Amino acid sequence: MVKRVAIVGAGVSGLTSIKSCLEEGLEPTCFERSDDIGGLWKFTETIGHGMTKVYKSVVTNITKEMSCYSDFPFPENFPNYMKHTMVMEYLRSYAEHFDLLRCIHFKTTVKSITKHQDFAVTGQWDVVTETEGKQDTATFDAVMICTGHYLNPRLPLESFPGINKFQGQILHSQEYRSPESFQGKRIIVIGLGNTGGDIAVELSRVAEKVFLSTRSGAWVDSRLSDDGYPTHMIQTTRFLHLVARSLPSTIVNWMGKKRMSRWFNHKTYGLSNPKGRLQKRIANDELPTYILCGSVTMKINVKEFTETSAIFEDGTVEENIDVVFFATGYTYSLPFFEEPMEKFCKNKIFIYKFIFPSNLEKATLALIGHVGLQGSVIAGTELQARWATRVFKGLCKIPPSSKMMAEATKKEQLIKRGVIKDTTQEKQDYITYLDELARCTGVKPNILLLFLKDPRLAKEVFFGPCTSYQYRLMGPGKWDGARKAIMTQWDRTLKPLQTRVIPDYSEPTSISYWLKVWGPPVLFVAVLLTYKSSLQLQLMRITEMGERISTYIASTMRK
């Protein structure tokens, strides 16, 4: 029976894993190699021990209501998109509120995780840790890996001929902290993800020139919707999700492209995706403006480097380059596992629901936060942890190892033959994945039942933003405050904007309003007068239209 659980990492995944263990009556021990919680959200001026940290100016891409733990909303006065300092403040409050710090061993590095000698029977693991040079070995009934996938920077130097003779600085975005040291430099940023776009914009404020090189382009989205509300709260709803799943993918993609193109023409700005490339989406409110102002210049992929210049695939050359930043992501790494375990865990096809390795006889190892989501990582990792701990206790079941391996092997063969697409490397649809985990855990909200029992709440759940509170309405871990949190989520969204109170006064009805009211019927009457020759028929139809106009105006006034 599982009792003692080892948790590796005290970031957003590790904290919720500790809490989930405590909720299920387990005994978690968390090992964190740094001296604080927060993982990559803990900003430091320097990078040490290969740890990835946020840069100084980073702001969240997802609004606070969509990225909080399901039973712990952000404070109402926090802005919708937050700096790293506020995220850290929230994580500290979360850890203190649920008394999680007592379970964490700081400045402790996990050196190895291996199967106990009788793993086939007990499912136990031997964990070797090191604290201040002293190693210790302990046996645990289960292990939760919460290190994320930002450990090892991916630096594809082999793809760029001549880079070894380049005389300027070569850096990975992991090393970027702030722009001050790049004053007056000519810089190339390679890679257009969220980080690449942010760094290019920020560097352009102090650099002489910034070139943003991308092979595939990207759809650049704003944090604001058309009406000024946070984009994710408007777009991530169960209603729109149902519509999207009911339509052919070609139509859904076309609608998405049309929506993106309403802001600006991506092809004109050098940001569109070449045909056949995977459509990638980033959040950046400033990049289009900086391209328009000439502060950032879009470039195609670099073909090769010389000592001081870069030659691009379209034949253009940029001279006197001082710095090359590679914003090329990270390689997946689990250094505490021996081969072939590490290699196996890197193949996500064989990781059941992106959590459980399918080759283990006992489901006592869970990878938490090792999935890419089109939405909040916090909400996703929390549901992963809630389900995993219940699997550990035997309250939830997963298929036998033999069945999971057979299904994964078949899927891998179909992918190799080109029959199906490998979607494990892509970001998973937010609502689809969370609902799948919620169904396994027994916490997926029953929308039809809600409409019968609580129509107001059901309306918010179905038509409003799909916030994590929905997964606390029923089932294991039900939170009494979930309903209130859902019904007041827009209040917390608008609260930080209401710093300048404007008196509410009625304005005279605008011209546009009367045009909307009178325009269609007047236009219709004009068409009748033009194309009908019979005066009597004209008068009769005008009279009928007049009655309709009166009815329309009356109904409008009632509204």
Side-chain angles (χ1 to χ4, degrees), residues 343-520:
K343 184 178 180 181
F344 186 88
C345 288
K346 288 180 179 179
N347 189 347
K348 294 185 178 181
I349 296 173
F350 287 88
I351 307 300
Y352 185 68
K353 310 283 188 196
F354 297 95
I355 301 174
F356 295 102
S358 56
N359 65 331
L360 297 177
E361 309 97 302
K362 299 289 185 179
T364 55
L365 175 65
L367 306 178
I368 307 299
H370 294 250
V371 60
L373 279 180
Q374 297 174 357
S376 167
V377 173
I378 289 181
T381 57
E382 183 186 35
L383 261 181
Q384 286 183 326
R386 291 173 65 188
W387 182 42
T389 50
R390 292 184 67 77
V391 170
F392 291 163
K393 287 200 68 176
L395 300 174
C396 294
K397 304 293 183 182
I398 65 172
S401 174
S402 57
K403 183 177 181 180
M404 291 190 293
M405 283 294 294
E407 291 178 352
T409 302
K410 181 180 179 181
K411 183 177 180 180
E412 185 179 48
Q413 292 173 348
L414 291 174
I415 290 171
K416 288 180 178 178
R417 288 161 47 193
V419 177
I420 62 174
K421 184 180 178 183
D422 183 8
T423 59
T424 60
Q425 303 304 317
E426 302 174 7
K427 288 190 175 183
Q428 304 301 300
D429 180 81
Y430 178 74
I431 295 180
T432 301
Y433 183 68
L434 263 62
D435 272 0
E436 191 175 347
L437 295 183
R439 194 178 298 109
C440 294
T441 314
V443 297
K444 183 179 181 296
N446 187 325
I447 308 298
L448 292 178
L449 184 62
L450 278 180
F451 269 111
L452 293 174
K453 294 176 61 177
D454 193 339
R456 284 189 62 215
L457 176 61
K459 178 185 173 184
E460 281 296 318
V461 169
F462 186 67
F463 293 102
C466 185
T467 47
S468 59
Y469 316 125
Q470 296 187 10
Y471 302 107
R472 291 283 182 179
L473 287 171
M474 54 190 66
K478 179 181 177 182
W479 176 43
D480 292 338
R483 186 188 189 280
K484 181 180 178 181
I486 293 172
M487 300 304 293
T488 57
Q489 57 196 4
W490 281 109
D491 296 335
R492 288 187 299 279
T493 299
L494 298 177
K495 176 68 174 180
L497 303 177
Q498 297 167 345
T499 56
R500 175 174 174 253
V501 180
I502 303 172
D504 186 19
Y505 60 92
S506 58
E507 296 181 353
T509 306
S510 65
I511 295 175
S512 61
Y513 171 81
W514 290 113
L515 285 175
K516 289 179 182 178
V517 172
W518 288 96

Side-chain angles (χ1 to χ4, degrees), residues 43 54-59 83-84 173 176-184 187 189 194-210 212 284 286-287 290 295-296 325:
F43 171 77
V54 293
Y55 40 94
K56 194 170 187 178
S57 62
V58 76
V59 175
K83 294 185 67 175
H84 61 85
S173 57
Y176 180 74
R177 317 310 305 138
S178 59
E180 288 78 15
S181 60
F182 301 97
Q183 184 80 36
I187 303 170
V189 178
N194 284 308
T195 301
D198 285 349
I199 289 177
V201 167
E202 185 164 77
L203 287 171
S204 71
R205 296 177 185 137
V206 300
E208 178 187 324
K209 189 65 181 178
V210 173
L212 181 52
N284 198 307
E286 299 176 290
L287 182 58
Y290 276 70
S295 300
V296 175
F325 260 110

Side-chain angles (χ1 to χ4, degrees), residues 184-238:
K185 305 283 189 181
R186 289 173 60 82
I187 303 170
I188 294 178
V189 178
I190 297 177
L192 180 53
N194 284 308
T195 301
D198 285 349
I199 289 177
V201 167
E202 185 164 77
L203 287 171
S204 71
R205 296 177 185 137
V206 300
E208 178 187 324
K209 189 65 181 178
V210 173
F211 303 96
L212 181 52
S213 171
T214 174
R215 176 185 287 110
S216 59
W219 291 109
V220 181
D221 204 0
S222 172
R223 291 179 175 86
L224 300 180
S225 67
D226 293 341
D227 294 323
Y229 296 110
T231 297
H232 273 88
M233 294 190 72
I234 298 299
Q235 294 179 0
T236 312
T237 72
R238 292 186 177 278

Side-chain angles (χ1 to χ4, degrees), residues 36 67 92 131 140 154 173 178-179 195 235 253 272 359 361 375 381 388 437 496-497 534 537:
D36 204 353
S67 57
R92 290 191 199 286
T131 306
F140 291 89
R154 179 176 174 269
S173 57
S178 59
T195 301
Q235 294 179 0
N253 291 336
S272 61
N359 65 331
E361 309 97 302
T381 57
L437 295 183
L497 303 177
S534 171
L537 183 60

